[in-house]
Structures are given as structure tokens and as C-alpha cells.
Amino acid sequence: MIFSFRHSMAMSALVCAALATASIAEAKTFKWSNSGDVSSMDPYARQETFLLTFTQNIYDPLVRRDKNLNLEPALATKWGQTDKNTWFFDIRPNVKFSDGTPLTADDIVFSLNRANGPGSNMGSNFASVKEIKKVGDLRVEVTTKYPDPLLASKWAALGMMSKAWAEKNNALNSADMTKNEENFATRNAMGTGPFMLKERKAGEKTVLVPNPGWWDKPTHNLTEVVFTPVANPATRIAALKAGDIDMTYEVPPADTESLKKDPNINVLEGPETRVVYLGMDQERDELLESNVKGKNPFKDKRVREAFHRSIDVDAIKRTVMRGQSFPTDLMVAPGINGYMKDLDKRPPLLKPDEAKKLLADAGYPNGFEVGMDCPNDRYVNDEKICQAVVSMLAKIGVKVNLRAQTRNLYFAKILRKSDGKPGETSFYMLGWSPAQTYDVHNVFEALIQTPNAATKKGMFNAGGYSNPALDKLADAMEQETDKAKRDDMIKQATKLYVDDFAYIPLHQQAVVWAARKNIDLFQPADNAFPLRFVTVK
């Protein structure tokens, strides 16, 4: 789904200075903001929509998504399979990096191996890959361990890097953000994309300028792009109304109606492909952050069910999200291939006494205490949602100690390490959109299959949920080309995790952007934001 569209409250001098970096007289400067910063300039640092969509303005992928979210050529002019276990990518000739060096198959092989290497957070996209090799100056061949018809789709968000640039600047591997590492590629960038990095001040501003040697024909008219993270929503909305920024990527639900009434503002909204959910540590024998010692309450299905059926997603939609959410009981949203509407039926809420009985039957008649990790600048109203969950679970005798942090600290704490070891969390919030493939298999492979560093499956399964029957079905559906057989596998696997209360899905969040009326842009349902589609009138 794509949507198209063609002095207020005072702020401190400091904030005004940051937001007004570009001169108002410079009509083709585009100034925009979000609640949090982009985590890194390295395109493989984190498998997160905001980082990936930002860095793709600098680093082109082999194949990219068009305005209708279909695959189209980018750095590869042609791709396909020569047999069931072999893919090829023909590289676009005469493409140059922004430093003037030519793009070759060597850069593609290097980039793909780097994305699958130490420190990268993109390894789950290479679970099927056996070997990547150059077979000509402009052709790369990929051998897979088993048939993988989704391979090209999986790589649609992988920007390609310069081998020479990475070697020169000692950035051969991605800096591992789960270990708070940095290298040259963390704060610097050089690609073949439509824009180049001019200035990077982490946490303050990032400035991009057009790449004059870009291989494609620009459709934007921008001369400069200034991105400024502003955590305070009131400040961000005031800046938009005052014209200090042209667009905000995230609009708090509480401000949507007032912005719609502003004659100078356009609001764009629609359901996102992302599902926001809660996860539980089901891997450790004892929770890291609980008063229960010697065992793990979340290993008991009755505890998971009590949690799941005590969280009122309709109340969260009504009071926290102001109607801007779409409650679900599945880990995949409508519009994604493999969504099973007939299984998207949330079980009825339990009364507190009923939930307490489930906990008592599991051995916790007095409830228990557990820590909860939540970001405060990643998803719409993320911390407020977590606060609502804390209140709801208190009614069944569970004391939740909430820790809300900025996305960089939060992700470093909860995500699995590159060696497969679990993060440091007991109960957490996450959101996921299968934006690479738009297929449910991405959700199974990344979030629900048993974590396995060797196969690179389940690497975003932060709670370590494991079901061998589901693993078998997910492996089979990855290779199955018969639609009826594949759909049956998807239905079986979906029913397994739903019946197991493996996760607590909450909702699809709405995509809500707001921009000044002199800004034309497109809003895809995956919440990507390609600057190449932006024009300033």
C-alpha cells in the first residue's frame, strides 16, 4: 500500500539551532526528524528498519523495492537461478562509488561476506548460503545448501560497500553493536547510492547531499538533507508546525488530530507491516531478573497463557494508541504472504482470579517478580505500552520492574550475540516486519525457530523459544514451491506457536508521518523512507 501527497510554541534556542541547521532560503533543503537517531552508518550494524532505510540512501542493494514494494533492478540488472541450488547476479556496468572507484563483482562478494561475517546483524539472511563467488568481473554466483526461492528478496535491504574503502579504513568487519564496538564505518560512509554522507554527529544531526555520479536518474530535487533526532515529542511537533523541520517520521497518536487540523500540514497514515509483541525468556533454567530462584516460570505454558490473556490489547489501542493500532494474535500482519486470517483470533481475556489460578497451578500462588526491557524511542508509544502492561500484570499478582532505555542501549542488552548466546533479558518488547521478503517464513526463521548460530536461524528469537516440530515445518516451507503444500505447512506452524503461547503479539502499529504541505513524498506500508522519492516545492 502506498500513500502519496504533494509561529507556534516557543522552543529553547539550543533546539532551534539544531533543527534550523539548513537555511530556510535554501528551498531544496529537506529537514526531517525522528524520536531516535539512526544507530550507525554501517549498513549491516543492525537489522532494524530505520537503520536499513536510512543507510540505503547511501548504499545501493543488488535489488530494491519499487513504490509498490515489488523487486526491481538496482546494482544487479539481472538475477535468477541456474539450478535449484545456484543463484546468479549480473552486476550493472559502469557504476562508480562516490569516490570515483568502479563497482565490480569483487565489491559484491566482499559486501555479502561482510554482511554474513563477524559483528554483522544481518547473518539470518544467509542461513541457506553455502558459497559466494565471483565468476566474472560483473557476475556473482551464490551456491545454497538447499533450495531457497526467497534469496533475492532476503537481500533487498543489503547495501553494497566498497572493498577498497573498507580495507583502507580498517573496516573489514562490522563493529558488533551488541558489544558496543565502533570502527570507521560506524560514523562514516561511502557507497554508490543517491546520496553521500556530508556530516555525522551521532545523537545530534546527520547531513546528506546528492551523489552527482549516481547511476540512476534522480526523481528528487533535494540539494541537502538534514536529519535531527528529537526525543521529546512536543518539541518535535512544535518544530514541524513552526517550519523548523519539514517532516517527522513518527507522530505521537496524541498529536495526530491536531496536526490534521493544521492547514500547513499533511498527515499520512496506514497500517504498518510490523507487529509489536512481547517475548519471554524460555531458554534459561533460571531467569536473570526475577525473585524466583532455581527455575524459570516462563518455561511453563500456564504462566505464558496467564500473561497473554491478562493483557488487554483493545484497552491499549483505546487509551495508549488513541486508535492507531490494529490488535492481532499472530506474529505476522495482513498483507504478508502466509498470514492466516482464520488463526488470528485472540483468546478471551481472563478475569484476575482466573489468571491467578493458572499461576497457582504452575506453582506461583503469590505471583512473582520479573524485570522487563522496553525501548523508549523505537516504536510508537513504546514505553507507554510497557507501562500499561506493567499495570495489567500487577492485577494478577505479577510485579514487573520496567527498564525503558534508548534503542542503542536496549538492543545491545536484549539481542542475541553473534555467537548465538542470549542477551540479558527476561521479558521484553520488540517489533518485527518481514521487510526483506514480505513472507511469513522470515518471521519463522528469524523470530520463532530455535536459535542456532551455526544455521543462523532464530537469531532474533531473544527469548529462546524452541519447538522441534515447528523448526521442521519452517525448514520445509523455506524450500517448498507448491503453494498448497506450503500454505498447509504455514498453517500448522502458526497453530503450533499460537497454541503454545510462545509470544504475546500486541498489534500492528499504524504508520503515521506528518510533513509540511510543500513536501511531496511516498509512504510505503513497510515504513521505509527512500529520500529519492522526496521533492520540495
Side-chain angles (χ1 to χ4, degrees), residues 98-154:
S98 58
D99 67 355
T101 59
L103 170 78
T104 71
D106 291 317
D107 298 299
I108 304 302
V109 172
F110 165 77
S111 296
L112 293 172
N113 283 326
R114 187 180 186 275
N116 191 31
S120 170
N121 198 225
M122 306 298 289
S124 62
N125 298 298
F126 293 83
S128 66
V129 173
K130 180 179 181 181
E131 183 183 17
I132 302 166
K133 63 182 180 180
K134 169 185 174 180
V135 293
D137 288 343
L138 294 175
R139 176 171 275 213
V140 169
E141 189 174 272
V142 182
T143 306
T144 58
K145 304 168 192 172
Y146 45 80
D148 186 356
L150 297 174
L151 185 68
S153 295
K154 291 178 181 179

Side-chain angles (χ1 to χ4, degrees), residues 1 16 32 48 83 111 165 273 279 306 312 419 454:
M1 183 187 304
C16 280
W32 66 294
E48 176 204 10
D83 61 54
S111 296
W165 182 83
T273 54
D312 188 342
D419 60 4

Side-chain angles (χ1 to χ4, degrees), residues 78 92 112 174 185 340 396 405 468 528:
K78 186 179 179 182
R92 187 178 298 277
L112 293 172
S174 291
M340 296 287 164
I396 67 170
Q405 303 182 85

Side-chain angles (χ1 to χ4, degrees), residues 18-32 54 194-200 205-211 220-228 246 519 529 531 534-536:
L19 293 172
T21 301
S23 167
I24 294 175
E26 208 168 348
K28 295 180 182 178
T29 292
F30 176 65
K31 299 161 289 181
W32 66 294
F54 194 101
F195 292 87
M196 303 183 298
L197 180 63
K198 178 182 177 182
E199 183 180 3
R200 169 69 174 166
K205 69 175 180 178
T206 304
V207 182
L208 305 181
V209 293
N211 176 4
H220 69 85
N221 67 346
L222 308 180
T223 55
E224 186 178 55
V225 177
V226 180
F227 169 73
T228 307
D246 299 308
I519 304 297
F529 184 35
L531 292 169
V534 178
T535 57
V536 179

Side-chain angles (χ1 to χ4, degrees), residues 146 441 443-452 455 457-458 461 464-479 489 492-494 496-497:
Y146 45 80
H441 179 262
V443 174
F444 283 113
E445 183 176 67
L447 302 182
I448 310 179
Q449 285 195 259
T450 303
N452 187 318
T455 64
K457 296 189 176 185
N461 180 353
Y465 170 74
S466 179
N467 186 322
L470 184 145
D471 291 342
K472 186 176 180 180
L473 286 165
D475 286 342
M477 77 176 69
E478 183 176 20
Q479 305 175 43
M489 294 173 185
Q492 291 181 58
T494 300
L496 281 175
Y497 80 74

Side-chain angles (χ1 to χ4, degrees), residues 318-368:
R318 184 175 61 253
T319 62
V320 180
M321 300 300 290
R322 306 290 183 95
Q324 291 180 9
S325 67
F326 304 84
T328 182
D329 200 44
L330 299 184
M331 294 291 285
V332 62
I336 299 299
N337 184 52
Y339 168 76
M340 296 287 164
K341 183 177 181 180
D342 58 328
L343 296 180
D344 193 2
K345 297 176 181 177
R346 201 170 187 90
L349 286 169
L350 293 173
K351 295 178 181 178
D353 287 348
E354 295 171 329
K356 287 179 180 179
K357 184 179 185 306
L358 270 178
L359 293 178
D361 290 345
Y364 307 99
N366 300 312
F368 60 92

Side-chain angles (χ1 to χ4, degrees), residues 53-285:
T53 191
F54 194 101
T55 56
Q56 278 189 69
N57 293 302
I58 303 168
Y59 294 102
D60 287 311
L62 288 168
V63 296
R64 69 187 183 190
R65 299 283 176 181
D66 64 15
K67 293 179 180 179
N68 296 306
L69 302 183
N70 297 315
L71 291 181
E72 68 174 9
L75 293 183
T77 56
K78 186 179 179 182
W79 62 93
Q81 292 178 264
T82 56
D83 61 54
K84 64 180 183 178
N85 287 347
T86 307
W87 279 80
F88 72 89
F89 294 87
D90 286 340
I91 311 307
R92 187 178 298 277
N94 304 316
V95 173
K96 293 184 177 181
F97 288 96
S98 58
D99 67 355
T101 59
L103 170 78
T104 71
D106 291 317
D107 298 299
I108 304 302
V109 172
F110 165 77
S111 296
L112 293 172
N113 283 326
R114 187 180 186 275
N116 191 31
S120 170
N121 198 225
M122 306 298 289
S124 62
N125 298 298
F126 293 83
S128 66
V129 173
K130 180 179 181 181
E131 183 183 17
I132 302 166
K133 63 182 180 180
K134 169 185 174 180
V135 293
D137 288 343
L138 294 175
R139 176 171 275 213
V140 169
E141 189 174 272
V142 182
T143 306
T144 58
K145 304 168 192 172
Y146 45 80
D148 186 356
L150 297 174
L151 185 68
S153 295
K154 291 178 181 179
W155 290 357
L158 287 176
M160 297 295 106
M161 301 181 72
S162 162
K163 180 182 179 182
W165 182 83
E167 289 175 339
K168 176 183 176 182
N169 295 294
N170 195 27
L172 291 174
N173 294 321
S174 291
D176 191 337
M177 293 191 70
T178 67
K179 299 177 181 177
N180 296 313
E181 294 177 354
E182 284 199 16
N183 64 22
F184 189 78
T186 304
R187 296 174 183 262
N188 299 273
M190 200 280 294
T192 63
F195 292 87
M196 303 183 298
L197 180 63
K198 178 182 177 182
E199 183 180 3
R200 169 69 174 166
K201 292 183 178 179
E204 297 180 29
K205 69 175 180 178
T206 304
V207 182
L208 305 181
V209 293
N211 176 4
W214 189 40
W215 56 270
D216 203 0
K217 182 179 180 181
T219 57
H220 69 85
N221 67 346
L222 308 180
T223 55
E224 186 178 55
V225 177
V226 180
F227 169 73
T228 307
V230 179
N232 185 285
T235 302
R236 201 166 62 250
I237 297 304
L240 178 66
K241 289 184 174 183
D244 293 324
I245 57 174
D246 299 308
M247 181 261 195
T248 177
Y249 179 81
E250 180 185 312
V251 177
D255 294 300
T256 303
E257 291 307 314
S258 67
L259 287 174
K260 286 180 179 179
K261 295 174 183 177
D262 191 315
N264 299 310
I265 304 294
N266 275 329
V267 175
L268 291 85
E269 56 186 325
E272 190 183 2
T273 54
R274 180 183 318 280
V275 170
V276 176
Y277 63 92
L278 304 178
M280 300 152 281
D281 179 359
Q282 300 170 53
E283 183 171 358
R284 292 182 174 88
D285 292 328

